[in-house]
Amino acid sequence: MSPSTDGPRTIEDVDWDALTAAATDAMRRAYAPYSRYPVGAAALTEDGRTVTGMNIENASYGVTLCAECSLISALIASGGGRLRAFVCVDGTGAVLMPCGRCRQLLYEHRGTGMTLLTVSGLRTMDQVLPDAFGPENLA
């Protein structure tokens, strides 16, 4: 897949409002009948695509999919690539911090310098998950 010429080139070029709006739109499609806690996520890929995901609950809580999980599924289904920018929101559209499991999932699919909009502001993936274990450790 060749890089797009119209996608953001640096993190400063990311339209965080638009990315948050995409996450909020995804959240509205969440399936959360048990917790009643819808979550949406959106990310930009290095080639300029926006991918989204939402939580999808199951009566057997252990097999519930987090919004980040469905986002990564959408990333792979749409051709793969690496994530450049990410945001996750709750049912009111407020920014959320991904849980530890989801941080690990995002780390695996991160691009160089991936940045997340967090409750503490913009943070790189390395700041959100320092000293992470990843594919490079299995080489």
Side-chain angles (χ1 to χ4, degrees):
M1 186 169 281
S2 61
S4 167
T5 57
D6 56 359
R9 288 179 178 58
T10 67
I11 211 59
E12 292 80 23
D13 295 336
V14 173
D15 183 342
W16 290 102
D17 290 335
L19 197 59
T20 302
T24 301
D25 184 55
M27 173 273 299
R28 291 186 183 111
R29 295 187 308 275
Y31 179 73
Y34 308 108
S35 71
R36 292 179 175 69
Y37 193 79
V39 176
L44 288 175
T45 64
E46 288 184 328
D47 66 2
R49 289 175 292 132
T50 298
V51 290
T52 61
M54 70 292 300
N55 58 326
I56 303 166
E57 295 181 347
N58 187 281
S60 173
Y61 289 110
V63 295
T64 290
L65 293 178
C66 298
E68 296 88 341
C69 293
S70 66
L71 181 141
I72 296 301
S73 294
L75 172 71
I76 301 303
S78 66
R82 295 287 169 190
L83 301 177
R84 184 82 178 109
F86 172 88
V87 64
C88 187
V89 300
D90 68 13
T92 68
V95 172
L96 291 174
M97 182 61 111
C99 71
R101 173 183 181 242
C102 291
R103 291 180 199 192
Q104 184 67 39
L105 187 63
L106 293 168
Y107 180 84
E108 179 115 1
H109 297 279
R110 79 200 182 287
T112 303
M114 179 185 169
T115 302
L116 294 79
L117 180 58
T118 74
V119 297
S120 302
L122 295 176
R123 300 285 184 261
T124 66
M125 190 72 241
D126 292 333
Q127 290 171 317
V128 170
L129 192 63
D131 303 321
F133 180 89
E136 61 277 5
N137 299 106
L138 300 174

